Amino acid sequence: MRFYRTLPGGSTLDITSFFMNRSLVSRMLMLGIPLLTVVLLLIFVATGSSIEHIVNRAIARNAQLQAQGMRLALEQALAETRNQLLILAAGSMDPEDMKHRMEFRAKANGLHYREVAYVGLAPENRYLLLSHDSQIINVPMHVALDSPSSPFHNLGGEQKPGYVNVGQPMEAVYSMVPVNKSLQSLSLHVLRFFTAVHDREGNFTGYLLLSLDMKDLRDIVSRYSSPDAPIAASGADTRVRSLFFDREGWMLFQSETPDAALAGKSLGNDAVRAGFWGDYGRPGFSMAFRPSPEHINYWSMVADVQAGQANQLPMTESSTVWSNGQMRVERVSYVPVSFKPGAGGEPVVLGGLAVLDTSFTTTRTGMQVMGIYTVSFLGGMILLALSLWWLAHQMGKSLNMLGRALHKRNITGGSDDLDLPPMPKELEGVKFDINTLLGRLRQAKIQRRSHEALQDAQWQREPVPDLPHPEDLPASGLVGTSSAMQTLCDQVRKASQVLADVLIIGETGTGKELVSEAIHRLSARSSGPFITINCGALDENLLMDTLFGHVKGAFTEARQARKGAFLAAEGGTLMLDEVGNAAPKVQQALLRALSTRRIRPLGSDQEVPFDTRIVAATNASLLEDAREGSFREDLYYRLAVITIHTPPLRERKTDIPSLTVYFLTEAVKARAKAEEVGAEVETDVENPNSAQNAPSRAAKGFKASSTMQMPQISRGALAKLMAYAWPGNVRELKNTLTRALTFCEENILYAENIQLGPVASNGASEDASKQQTQGNESTAQEGREKATGKASADMQDSKADAAASSRAEKKNGARPETEDNTQRTPTSGKNQAASAFSAASPPGQEASSLTDADAAASSTTTSDNPSRQVPLYAPGSDQESGLEPRHVSGHVSGLEPGFESGQTRAPAAFTGAASEAAASTANGNGGSSTVNADTVRLNHRQAAMWPRLEAMGSISRQEYQQMLGKDISMRTAQYDLQLFVQMGLVRKEGRGPAQRYVVVAGRAFYRG
């Protein structure tokens, strides 16, 4: 905002006028930039000296730590040499033995020992071994004695056991040494260690000498001086030179670049002695250099090392030649290098190590800090200026544009106000305009959202117009037109044209069994039987008998021969479901049968050929199981001649509309059939004359079938189905649609009727449970498996046992009934489901107290005669063992009595509250079930034996069988006792022949 009024003259007023006539951006820049400049300068001045001091201390400490790291590495190498010498001294002094040990040591990656010499008391006990190019050379004695640097000259020292003497670094030269069938001169730079050797009586026998190659010490120093050192000075750009000097101040060697050529380089000190003057060449070490006494700082460093002290040299222009010579050095850190000759002895200073920092890290760091300060200052100025300019510019621009736009919109009117705090006078008009406009916009949004919500709700409840017609879908088989299903159908068609075995892999619920049936139906074996075996539902022995059969007399209860599934499916197809769960013994038998196409029934001495196509199915990765060892890899390759993968539903969601129509059509047909059966039962009750009932039953059945139509599907319901992931695949979709149809009260399925995921059964109403028929099939099956799962292997009975039980029933005058003595009561069509539940319950107990599994298990009937009681499986029969034959096309011939076509799986061995008691026992409660004992139902044998059993207190299986009579088999007796255990009336004690069944105190039962 500019100030245009005229001000009186004067210097102060001129400045004020200049400031007030500036724009908002100019004012903010004129106030902010000088203020930030002063603040940053104060910060830089206050922190600059402190930061410089801290950085110098850190760099100095880092350099000293690097020197200490080199020192520790060198001392560790010296200590290792001492230990090796003591180990050699403790062994045999025989030259050949010593040579073998040195050859072994030369092959190891470690320190290089160039000389091994033994100086015995007698001249004949002396020898010298040299290590050259991984070879151990026995130097002739005259050659060794001719060398001035031979270890046999003036060798002496402490003779205490375990004490190691060390000499000064020296250069050893040997002439005319036999190397590789030639005479050569060898020059070695070594550090010699020697110790006294004693015999077993402790007598001194001589000295043993071991020389360490000085190049190893040079390599250690070079490695620690490189940027890749274990302790780097201050980064990869650091340049460090290291120098090793002895106690007398002689410079012996310097560090080199640790590259591939380092091993071939000789020792040198040219770089570190540049600029010094002094003596060159020490006796015994020709390349050593000692500076003259004028270099005071250098000799001060040598004096500190001799005293065992570590420190740093201050570098100034006049302090040392390193600060102004050819190699400019910023800092010198030095440490003494000591050697401990023996346990408990004082360390001996061998020399010193000087680390020369030529990188000028402190100077560069100071310059970097100054650069950071400068960049920070300039950057802060620029950022502040830009920020202030942008802020002021945006504020002015936004206010002007907002005021003009809102004032223009305010002409149309409005009344809603915003709840804002008081604003300045200049913005009150803007506030009024904002309140007016926002009120109108808010009202418009509310109306638009309401209209969209109403349209969306109507759209969601409209039926889907373009669903496929049920007649266009296959009556049985694979439903879907997606690319995945087209590929699957093509694979099924191709697999059906050949006779090779097929492996079907897919998740649970993806239709592996349907694929197997389709392959059989389209193959040349379609006229033969199609049999399914669930390998995961049977134990090892029962599965072996089910697959391969047995001959008569193969075991105690083998009263007749049994073909087995391989022979029963002769000329057809045998499906092995869940083959990955088969036991190793079964896998081995399957492998042999598939490889030879012959089987050997149990108890038979001859192999029987079979002509059966094998289709295996699994939901696991058999190849991974084979790698883990749980499945045979050779069996996998036998089965996987043709491999078909069934796609999960989440990968073919475009098939969900077709599947929905198919499953709803099937569910409606099942419901119509159930109502037709109910109408027949109601007619039979009203008029027992079957001849007169025929027209009435036909009329009611036609009426039930005509009123049942597939409900329409709303858009919302289909969208909900399409959005779900379907972890249970097609089976879960079928169960979801069956459940939705059960609770649907209109002729259209809405989204609220679709219940996805785990559904709790506690909130289901009684009316809904009465309507559910086909949907409870899977639940009833789970209830039956839970009730009989624990005793499935023990509750096997032969057909002779079933006949004996029938004769016993007729003898007692009892009417034909099931094993659990339950009977179905005919009711009207409307209350048929509820009556079925009530028929399985004791008097005085409502049907609604049963669980879904119990109701389904107690209300299962055959389709031919709904009032007829469905018999239980006899223990040991094929149906209980999991063998499920199907007649796909044509008549299945040659089946055993356990393989009749159309055989139906019966309900569990006990129903109602007995099922609850069995489930409670299976959960680990043992005999202390909490179910009311008055609700337990027993069969006729158990009801007759219970008073005697209760009076005896306990009974064994043999006693129970003898008391029932000779017509009762061992398995029937075991079956009854297992039911007693599952009902919670008795508990098992002991094992084997000594096992007894003890009555649980306080339990009663209900006798049907």
Side-chain angles (χ1 to χ4, degrees), residues 472-508:
D472 298 334
L473 301 177
S476 62
L478 306 176
V479 177
T481 58
S482 63
S483 59
M485 285 302 297
Q486 292 178 1
T487 302
L488 178 62
C489 293
D490 186 60
Q491 292 177 350
V492 169
R493 181 180 58 81
K494 293 179 180 179
S496 63
Q497 304 304 317
V498 297
L499 299 180
D501 297 334
V502 180
L503 175 63
I504 303 175
I505 301 175
E507 299 179 6
T508 302

Side-chain angles (χ1 to χ4, degrees), residues 561-577:
R562 180 179 183 180
K563 288 184 178 180
F566 276 93
L567 297 181
E570 184 77 15
T573 303
L574 173 60
M575 178 186 178
L576 302 178
D577 198 6

Side-chain angles (χ1 to χ4, degrees), residues 941-953 1005 1007:
R941 295 190 304 275
Q942 292 174 313
M945 285 295 299
W946 176 251
R948 303 171 64 181
L949 178 59
E950 193 174 19
M952 295 174 61
F1005 66 92
R1007 294 182 175 86

Side-chain angles (χ1 to χ4, degrees), residues 559-560 797-807 967 969 972:
R559 302 177 183 177
Q560 60 182 359
D797 196 2
S798 64
K799 295 192 176 189
D801 298 333
S805 299
S806 178
R807 290 195 299 270
D967 291 335
S969 67
T972 302

Side-chain angles (χ1 to χ4, degrees), residues 412-548:
T412 59
S415 58
D416 292 340
D417 294 334
L418 292 175
D419 187 11
L420 296 176
M423 302 179 67
K425 182 179 179 180
E426 292 80 4
L427 296 179
E428 283 298 331
V430 178
K431 176 181 177 181
F432 175 77
D433 293 339
I434 291 175
N435 288 336
T436 303
L437 181 59
L438 289 181
R440 299 175 67 89
L441 291 176
R442 189 184 309 108
Q443 186 66 25
K445 287 182 179 179
I446 293 174
Q447 295 177 359
R448 180 172 55 84
R449 289 175 181 173
S450 300
H451 182 67
E452 291 178 353
L454 180 60
Q455 289 183 342
D456 183 70
Q458 293 175 353
W459 184 86
Q460 290 284 342
R461 302 185 75 83
E462 292 178 358
V464 180
D466 54 351
L467 287 177
H469 196 274
E471 296 180 357
D472 298 334
L473 301 177
S476 62
L478 306 176
V479 177
T481 58
S482 63
S483 59
M485 285 302 297
Q486 292 178 1
T487 302
L488 178 62
C489 293
D490 186 60
Q491 292 177 350
V492 169
R493 181 180 58 81
K494 293 179 180 179
S496 63
Q497 304 304 317
V498 297
L499 299 180
D501 297 334
V502 180
L503 175 63
I504 303 175
I505 301 175
E507 299 179 6
T508 302
T510 54
K512 297 186 288 297
E513 190 169 352
L514 287 178
V515 173
S516 304
E517 292 180 358
I519 294 175
H520 173 77
R521 186 170 58 252
L522 298 176
S523 67
R525 296 174 175 263
S526 59
S527 59
F530 176 82
I531 297 179
T532 299
I533 302 294
N534 191 341
C535 300
L538 306 176
D539 62 5
E540 178 180 308
N541 296 327
L542 189 57
L543 181 58
M544 290 286 291
D545 187 49
T546 303
L547 292 175
F548 305 104

Side-chain angles (χ1 to χ4, degrees), residues 123-124 126-130 137-153 173-178 183-184:
E124 61 272 10
R126 299 178 181 180
Y127 57 85
L128 173 62
L129 303 178
L130 296 182
I137 304 170
N138 193 345
V139 180
M141 187 54 60
H142 68 278
V143 175
L145 294 176
D146 291 342
S147 175
S149 56
S150 172
F152 300 111
H153 302 310
V173 180
Y174 297 95
S175 302
M176 308 300 289
V177 177
L183 299 179
Q184 300 180 11

Side-chain angles (χ1 to χ4, degrees), residues 737-815:
L737 294 174
T738 305
R739 180 167 57 247
L741 184 61
T742 302
F743 294 104
C744 178
E745 298 180 355
E746 301 180 20
N747 196 26
I748 185 171
L749 284 178
Y750 296 115
E752 55 267 22
N753 298 128
I754 306 296
Q755 303 179 17
L756 301 176
V759 180
S761 61
N762 296 334
S765 63
E766 183 177 358
D767 294 336
S769 64
K770 291 178 181 178
Q771 296 176 3
Q772 189 173 0
T773 55
Q774 285 297 107
N776 286 337
E777 180 181 356
S778 61
T779 308
Q781 180 65 21
E782 294 175 1
R784 291 193 294 270
E785 291 176 357
K786 290 182 179 179
T788 60
K790 184 177 180 181
S792 62
D794 298 330
M795 296 191 297
Q796 304 179 18
D797 196 2
S798 64
K799 295 192 176 189
D801 298 333
S805 299
S806 178
R807 290 195 299 270
E809 290 175 359
K810 293 179 180 179
K811 183 178 180 180
N812 295 335
R815 59 190 301 177

Side-chain angles (χ1 to χ4, degrees), residues 658-928:
S658 301
L659 291 171
T660 302
V661 173
Y662 178 80
F663 289 138
L664 286 178
T665 304
E666 294 296 321
V668 168
K669 290 180 181 178
R671 180 184 289 187
K673 186 176 181 180
E675 291 192 4
E676 182 181 352
V677 171
E680 293 178 1
V681 173
E682 182 178 359
T683 304
D684 291 341
V685 173
E686 293 174 355
N687 190 354
N689 192 344
S690 60
Q692 299 177 359
N693 287 341
S696 178
R697 285 196 299 266
K700 293 185 178 181
F702 174 78
K703 181 180 180 181
S705 61
S706 62
T707 57
M708 296 299 295
Q709 296 181 358
M710 188 195 80
Q712 293 180 313
I713 303 171
S714 66
R715 298 178 187 269
L718 183 59
K720 191 173 183 179
L721 294 176
M722 295 292 289
Y724 188 54
W726 300 111
N729 296 298
V730 181
R731 183 181 294 119
E732 184 181 3
L733 175 63
K734 178 182 178 182
N735 295 338
T736 300
L737 294 174
T738 305
R739 180 167 57 247
L741 184 61
T742 302
F743 294 104
C744 178
E745 298 180 355
E746 301 180 20
N747 196 26
I748 185 171
L749 284 178
Y750 296 115
E752 55 267 22
N753 298 128
I754 306 296
Q755 303 179 17
L756 301 176
V759 180
S761 61
N762 296 334
S765 63
E766 183 177 358
D767 294 336
S769 64
K770 291 178 181 178
Q771 296 176 3
Q772 189 173 0
T773 55
Q774 285 297 107
N776 286 337
E777 180 181 356
S778 61
T779 308
Q781 180 65 21
E782 294 175 1
R784 291 193 294 270
E785 291 176 357
K786 290 182 179 179
T788 60
K790 184 177 180 181
S792 62
D794 298 330
M795 296 191 297
Q796 304 179 18
D797 196 2
S798 64
K799 295 192 176 189
D801 298 333
S805 299
S806 178
R807 290 195 299 270
E809 290 175 359
K810 293 179 180 179
K811 183 178 180 180
N812 295 335
R815 59 190 301 177
E817 56 186 5
T818 60
E819 191 72 8
D820 58 352
N821 202 23
T822 60
Q823 184 175 356
R824 192 177 309 280
T825 303
T827 60
S828 63
K830 182 178 181 181
N831 299 325
Q832 179 186 5
S835 300
F837 289 170
S838 302
S841 305
Q845 183 178 358
E846 296 296 335
S848 60
S849 65
L850 297 176
T851 63
D852 292 341
D854 300 330
S858 62
S859 62
T860 306
T861 63
T862 61
S863 60
D864 297 334
N865 189 2
S867 63
R868 173 187 165 204
Q869 190 72 25
V870 181
L872 295 174
Y873 296 144
S877 66
D878 294 337
Q879 286 290 354
E880 195 214 345
S881 64
L883 191 60
E884 301 178 1
R886 290 186 179 86
H887 187 70
V888 179
S889 64
H891 178 69
V892 181
S893 60
L895 297 181
E896 296 181 22
F899 294 97
E900 287 86 9
S901 176
Q903 195 169 5
T904 306
R905 184 176 296 278
F910 53 93
T911 62
S915 177
E916 296 179 0
S920 177
T921 305
N923 288 334
N925 295 335
S928 59

